[in-house]
Amino acid sequence: QDGEIEEVVVTGSFLRGSPLDAPSPVQVVDRSSIEAQGAAVIWDVIKNLEVNSGSITNPGSGDNTQVSGSANVNLRNLGENSTLTLINGKRMAPAAVTTRSGGEFVDLNSIPLVMTDRVEILTDGGSALYGADAVAGVVNVIMRTDFEGFELYGDIQGVQKADQKYDQTISAIWGSSFNNGDTNIVISA
């Protein structure tokens, strides 16, 4: 007698599998690893990946100030528009600006870290499944859409060799479920 299936989660495939037995290697950085890294933004997680070799953050210096405050993912240094960025398996719209080389990119700093459950990185090219914008790979940010309760997070990190400069982070998330768990509402800042 077959048991009842309560929930099936499909991300980028019709068949669910673990990252270890997938045909292409998938690296998963879960919530506990993100917190252990002391990440302030998602780019802090991306920059620590072995496959990362071209992701940058734009502090605002130089002649291209239209991209100041943004960050992008660039796996294998094949170009910022060669890595596909997804949120919960759906494509995210690129930023409204381009880099000096004319490349489009998804601004990672617009994704709230407090809402992030895990980051899944397809470290091989994903163009067969996703198209030409996934030649270098795919970064899929899975959000905490079923979070219940309240969480407050604060962090101050000193920047080595930068005198009195600090990374300061404060964030909060609240969530609740309704209709016997069929409806969830999550708010973060």
Side-chain angles (χ1 to χ4, degrees), residues 173-185:
I173 183 171
W174 171 84
S176 185
S177 66
F178 306 97
N179 299 332
N180 295 325
D182 290 339
T183 306
N184 292 306
I185 183 168

Side-chain angles (χ1 to χ4, degrees), residues 27-50 113 119 121 153 155 157 167:
Q27 184 176 355
V28 179
V29 182
D30 62 3
R31 183 91 193 138
S32 60
S33 297
I34 292 171
E35 291 172 354
Q37 291 179 24
V41 290
I42 292 181
W43 188 79
D44 289 338
V45 176
I46 299 297
K47 73 179 179 182
N48 292 329
L49 297 174
E50 295 169 358
L113 187 66
V119 180
I121 303 96
Y153 175 79
D155 185 34
Q157 298 179 15
D167 282 337

Side-chain angles (χ1 to χ4, degrees), residues 37-99:
Q37 291 179 24
V41 290
I42 292 181
W43 188 79
D44 289 338
V45 176
I46 299 297
K47 73 179 179 182
N48 292 329
L49 297 174
E50 295 169 358
V51 71
N52 172 43
S53 63
S55 302
I56 60 171
T57 184
N58 301 292
S61 61
D63 59 351
N64 199 15
T65 58
Q66 64 188 11
V67 296
S68 64
S70 65
N72 64 52
V73 57
N74 182 358
L75 301 180
R76 284 189 209 79
N77 207 13
L78 292 176
E80 57 277 343
N81 52 353
S82 293
T83 301
L84 179 62
T85 304
L86 306 173
I87 294 186
N88 291 338
K90 295 183 174 62
R91 293 174 186 262
M92 185 171 175
V97 297
T98 58
T99 62

Side-chain angles (χ1 to χ4, degrees), residues 141-152:
V141 181
I142 305 296
M143 307 300 270
R144 300 165 79 181
T145 55
D146 57 353
F147 180 81
E148 290 187 41
F150 178 74
E151 184 177 297
L152 183 64

Side-chain angles (χ1 to χ4, degrees), residues 97-176:
V97 297
T98 58
T99 62
R100 287 185 194 150
S101 61
E104 292 182 339
F105 64 95
V106 170
D107 182 12
L108 292 178
N109 288 343
S110 65
I111 304 171
L113 187 66
V114 71
M115 283 285 294
T116 304
D117 182 48
R118 67 186 183 276
V119 180
E120 299 174 345
I121 303 96
L122 176 68
T123 55
D124 266 357
S127 59
L129 184 60
Y130 294 103
D133 52 351
V135 169
V138 180
V139 174
N140 187 13
V141 181
I142 305 296
M143 307 300 270
R144 300 165 79 181
T145 55
D146 57 353
F147 180 81
E148 290 187 41
F150 178 74
E151 184 177 297
L152 183 64
Y153 175 79
D155 185 34
I156 297 177
Q157 298 179 15
V159 180
Q160 190 176 17
K161 297 181 182 177
D163 297 329
Q164 298 297 318
K165 294 184 180 176
Y166 296 93
D167 282 337
Q168 302 170 358
T169 304
I170 186 162
S171 56
I173 183 171
W174 171 84
S176 185

